[in-house]
Amino acid sequence: ARQPTGRGAPRLVRPAVVHVASGREWRGGQRQVWLLARELQRVGLPNQVVVTGAGTELAFRLRHEGVRVHEARWDAGLDPRVLLPILREARAGAALLHAHDAHAVTLAGLCGMASRIPLVATRRVDFHLRHPGFWRRASRVIAISAAVADILVDDGIDPARVQVVHSGIDLQAAREAEPLGLRDRLGLAPETTLACTVGALVPHKDHVTLLHAARHLAPRFPALHWVIAGDGELRRTLEWLAAELGLAGRVHFLGHVTHALRVIADADVYVMSSREEGLGTSVLDAMARGIPVASTSAGGLPEMLHEG
């Protein structure tokens, strides 16, 4: 990228920060990378670049915000083809590598060793580290909650190098999001009460417990319907379980949604059934709108929800 000088001649803008993020999906982690890079851009750090997967939602959103993106062929988690783009950006004058997920930590860690550029790694999940090597080498490890920080220390990361930085949201976007109109779309009565959740349909989100809760509440609250937005490996299993529990007409699976805020905006109550959760920014989105939250106490969730 080139930026004009006062005399009109272009000069090279060197990447002070090289973000590395696996963007093959659009989930909470990718949203945080987008928000971070966007806000750094807005407060005056234009010399950053994000190395991520080509043609992804993350790459599209970053470009829309004017953030420079180096789109790489990134088909597998530890795709070796990503190493060259990271090294090219690092050697263009970077002061810092910032890895935003486990695969990125390994790839950026290798490039950091080769280029002798400091590595910062962000940990967004409250799972134990399978391969702590490059996490231990990082100059700093950012934990998105105190719960995540505790697990990092348990896994052998020097507590002096662990820094808690809670994930953030766009408050204005959360408050101004236009409801999706789920009652009309699903053919439900206007007085229907909607309990909504947004997240990947994966084991640690524990939608099984959510469905059993729905079964227990069904006789007491005949106007209560449940909306589950998101996709994942357990979708067919969860649809089968909903039918087995007699909830086929009461639980609605939306699949992947691009604008999760519009789903949350329709909720009368937001539910979070996770048994593991780094923080859970969809809860913050609901809180920003004044929507009551019913949640487990997994991971970082109690750091947002406390005193009832």
Side-chain angles (χ1 to χ4, degrees), residues 2 5 7 16 34 45 47 51 58 62 65 78 95 99 146 158 166 196 199 201 205 210-211 232 240-241 259 261 270:
R2 292 187 178 272
T5 66
R7 296 179 179 178
W34 168 60
L45 184 70
N47 53 335
V51 180
L58 175 59
L62 289 167
E65 297 291 345
L78 290 175
D158 181 358
H166 290 96
C196 298
L201 306 186
K205 295 291 187 179
L210 185 147
L211 292 176
W240 169 84
L241 179 60
H259 302 291
L261 287 176
Y270 189 79

Side-chain angles (χ1 to χ4, degrees), residues 186-198:
L186 298 172
L188 303 176
E191 63 272 15
T192 300
T193 301
L194 288 183
C196 298
T197 190
V198 178

Side-chain angles (χ1 to χ4, degrees), residues 58-248:
L58 175 59
F60 171 79
R61 293 194 183 213
L62 289 167
R63 287 191 184 281
H64 181 72
E65 297 291 345
V67 177
R68 189 162 71 86
V69 183
H70 191 140
E71 296 189 51
R73 291 286 301 275
W74 199 332
D75 297 329
L78 290 175
D79 197 322
R81 293 173 296 182
V82 185
L83 291 170
L84 187 56
I86 299 172
L87 277 173
R88 282 178 177 170
E89 296 295 347
R91 288 172 173 169
L96 185 71
L97 288 165
H98 187 171
H100 291 272
D101 54 74
H103 292 137
V105 167
T106 299
L107 295 167
L110 290 168
C111 294
M113 290 177 63
S115 59
R116 297 187 179 182
I117 295 174
L119 171 69
V120 168
T122 293
R123 185 67 170 172
R124 306 188 191 279
V125 294
D126 58 339
F127 311 152
H128 284 282
L129 297 171
R130 292 183 180 179
H131 307 289
F134 282 108
W135 295 94
R136 290 175 178 167
R137 289 174 176 266
S139 299
R140 289 290 186 275
V141 180
I142 297 172
I144 66 167
S145 64
V148 172
D150 289 343
I151 290 176
L152 288 168
V153 172
D154 287 345
D155 288 344
I157 307 301
D158 181 358
R161 292 190 292 111
V162 177
Q163 178 68 50
V164 176
V165 181
H166 290 96
S167 297
I169 64 168
D170 185 331
L171 286 169
Q172 183 177 357
R175 291 168 178 162
E176 296 180 356
E178 181 181 352
L180 197 57
L182 288 172
R183 291 167 183 82
D184 288 340
R185 289 184 178 223
L186 298 172
L188 303 176
E191 63 272 15
T192 300
T193 301
L194 288 183
C196 298
T197 190
V198 178
L201 306 186
V202 292
H204 74 270
K205 295 291 187 179
D206 199 8
H207 292 90
V208 170
T209 291
L210 185 147
L211 292 176
H212 281 284
R215 179 178 65 83
H216 283 293
L217 290 172
R220 294 172 54 195
F221 301 97
L224 176 61
H225 283 243
W226 302 73
V227 172
I228 299 175
D231 214 341
E233 63 193 78
L234 294 182
R235 178 165 180 175
R236 289 187 179 180
T237 300
L238 293 169
E239 289 175 333
W240 169 84
L241 179 60
E244 286 290 301
L245 295 174
L247 299 170

